[in-house]
Amino acid sequence: MISRLRIASGLVLFVFVTGHLLTLAFGLYSIAAMEAAGRILMGPFGNPVGGPILILSFFVHAGLGLWTVFWRNSLFSNWADAGQAALGLAIVPLLLPHIMGTVVGPAMTGAHPDFKWVLAVYWMFVPHLGIQQVIALIVIWVHACYGLFLWMQVQRWWGRYATVSYPFAVIVPVVALLGFVESGKILIANSGDPDFMAPVREAAAAYGSVGETLNQIQSHVLWWYAVLVAVILVARAIRLWGKRPKISVTYRDGPTIERSAGVSLLETAQSMDTAHAALCGARGRCGSCAVHVLEGHENLAPPGRTEAETITRRSLPDGVRLACQAMPTGGPVTVERVFDPTISPVEYQDLLRTEDHSKRDPAPVSQSEGAA
């Protein structure tokens, strides 16, 4: 359930962000074109139905992200996931000024600032906020694309759309940044035209009376956000603190890893740079990290709901566990990887389509493949 909520809320946010960036791309033509495109591309989120769905998706996705940070036993065993988590935590402070100016400000003043006002703030009045928003754009897009690709690449239809997805992920932010720059140049070139700048003067007058209040609200939100993140990290440290039993994980024809309990089989392998497939980013969705448990079944915690659902969906045989979900509780465990640690998403999907896992006897991974 949590995984589905995270995917659904993330997809809603991705659609909104994509529409926002494509709107900026129309700045390559004119600011008026941006306004017209925005009414179409962002219109679904500017009504009494779409707006609350967007806000709810943001809080659900952010809350589940913080929940994941709390429950993740190892934050740095996978640098890609750690990087995505760090980018996710940075989104709120980077994006907050934009939210204050385009959501909270209009709610307080009743004004409806257009793109000219937003561009004037970033290009003329407070240029450093423009730089911050460019950084926010990059952070949000990288965070979103990484999470989306982790979900997409383990879907059966991934092979048909992979070649289109990668160019899309590059082209959209590039044209958005180019549109942002070109529209800024248009604004500055026409800044001496009173009629052209009339909407900017009107918005400036409306915001003048609430500017200090907006700054105070922003400071309070940043403070409480920092406190929340700190509390989660401290709570996580307390959860993991204390003397834990020792575990020993032996890979067939591979290394034996000894450490304290409290991390999954996958995190145990990653802590010693032992190669292991995990195409969904250790989220328990794909099953590519599956291992045959040869010895020590009793030294693993029972499968949780996410693991049990994936094992059933992938028709994995008895005695197979997901390394990203299986938690050693103490004592020795001997396992064998079901899939080659270097398997690609397309190869994995081909296997799912052509092989019956209940009958397949996977070839053991060689010692040379066990080292990263």
Side-chain angles (χ1 to χ4, degrees):
M1 182 63 179
I2 291 179
S3 178
R4 294 190 181 94
L5 281 175
R6 192 171 184 179
I7 293 171
S9 59
L11 287 174
V12 171
L13 295 173
F14 186 80
V15 170
F16 174 76
V17 170
T18 301
H20 201 43
L21 296 185
L22 292 177
T23 298
L24 288 177
F26 279 86
L28 287 167
Y29 182 73
S30 69
I31 297 177
M34 289 175 64
E35 295 284 359
R39 286 191 289 271
I40 298 173
L41 295 172
M42 299 167 61
F45 300 99
N47 56 68
V49 176
I53 290 176
L54 178 64
I55 295 172
L56 179 62
S57 296
F58 174 79
F59 281 106
V60 167
H61 199 72
L64 291 178
L66 293 173
W67 181 255
T68 300
V69 170
F70 172 74
W71 279 108
R72 193 176 183 88
N73 296 305
S74 178
L75 293 178
F76 301 106
S77 60
N78 184 316
W79 285 105
D81 282 350
Q84 191 204 22
L87 293 177
L89 292 175
I91 288 175
V92 170
L94 285 173
L95 198 60
L96 189 58
H98 186 72
I99 295 174
M100 299 302 299
T102 59
V103 179
V104 181
M108 294 176 62
T109 63
H112 299 283
D114 58 11
F115 275 102
K116 288 182 182 178
W117 163 249
V118 175
L119 290 169
V121 170
Y122 292 152
W123 284 98
M124 298 173 62
F125 303 150
V126 196
H128 75 271
L129 286 183
I131 297 174
Q132 180 173 324
Q133 290 312 297
V134 169
I135 296 173
L137 182 156
I138 297 171
V139 166
I140 292 170
W141 191 250
V142 172
H143 173 84
C145 284
Y146 180 73
L148 184 65
F149 285 167
L150 286 178
W151 171 68
M152 292 173 59
Q153 69 180 1
V154 296
Q155 306 303 315
R156 295 185 181 275
W157 42 261
W158 168 248
R160 297 193 296 271
Y161 300 103
T163 55
V164 178
S165 301
Y166 291 115
F168 175 83
V170 175
I171 291 172
V172 169
V174 170
V175 295
L177 288 172
L178 291 174
F180 177 68
V181 171
E182 186 62 27
S183 59
K185 291 166 62 177
I186 294 172
L187 179 79
I188 293 174
N190 291 274
S191 59
D193 184 343
D195 293 334
F196 183 87
M197 297 296 289
V200 176
R201 293 195 301 272
E202 293 174 1
Y207 275 74
S209 60
V210 298
E212 185 62 31
T213 302
L214 288 175
N215 288 334
Q216 291 177 356
I217 294 174
Q218 178 175 306
S219 297
H220 282 90
V221 172
L222 285 174
W223 168 254
W224 284 110
Y225 178 72
V227 170
L228 175 62
V229 172
V231 168
I232 289 173
L233 292 176
V234 170
R236 175 186 173 276
I238 294 173
R239 181 177 67 83
L240 296 174
W241 180 80
K243 186 176 181 179
R244 291 171 288 175
K246 295 294 183 180
I247 63 172
S248 174
V249 179
T250 299
Y251 278 82
R252 181 176 177 181
D253 298 323
T256 295
I257 305 168
E258 296 183 351
R259 60 170 301 165
S260 298
V263 294
S264 67
L265 287 174
L266 179 63
E267 291 169 321
T268 301
Q270 291 173 337
S271 69
M272 294 298 293
D273 293 329
T274 300
H276 213 305
L279 297 178
C280 69
R283 287 160 174 79
R285 301 171 186 159
C286 64
S288 65
C289 66
V291 293
H292 277 301
V293 181
L294 305 178
E295 297 177 2
H297 291 272
E298 69 280 2
N299 294 328
L300 293 173
R305 180 176 178 180
T306 298
E307 182 179 5
E309 289 179 350
T310 300
I311 289 175
T312 300
R313 187 174 69 253
R314 296 305 194 198
S315 300
L316 296 171
D318 293 340
V320 170
R321 296 291 302 270
L322 301 187
C324 70
Q325 303 293 310
M327 301 288 294
T329 56
V333 178
T334 302
V335 299
E336 178 185 23
R337 283 162 289 195
V338 172
F339 299 100
D340 189 298
T342 61
I343 192 170
S344 71
V346 174
E347 291 170 337
Y348 180 59
Q349 294 303 331
D350 287 341
L351 282 177
L352 293 180
R353 285 191 293 268
T354 60
E355 296 192 11
D356 181 357
H357 292 286
S358 64
K359 297 178 181 179
R360 180 165 60 87
D361 183 17
V365 180
S366 67
Q367 175 102 22
S368 60
E369 290 173 327

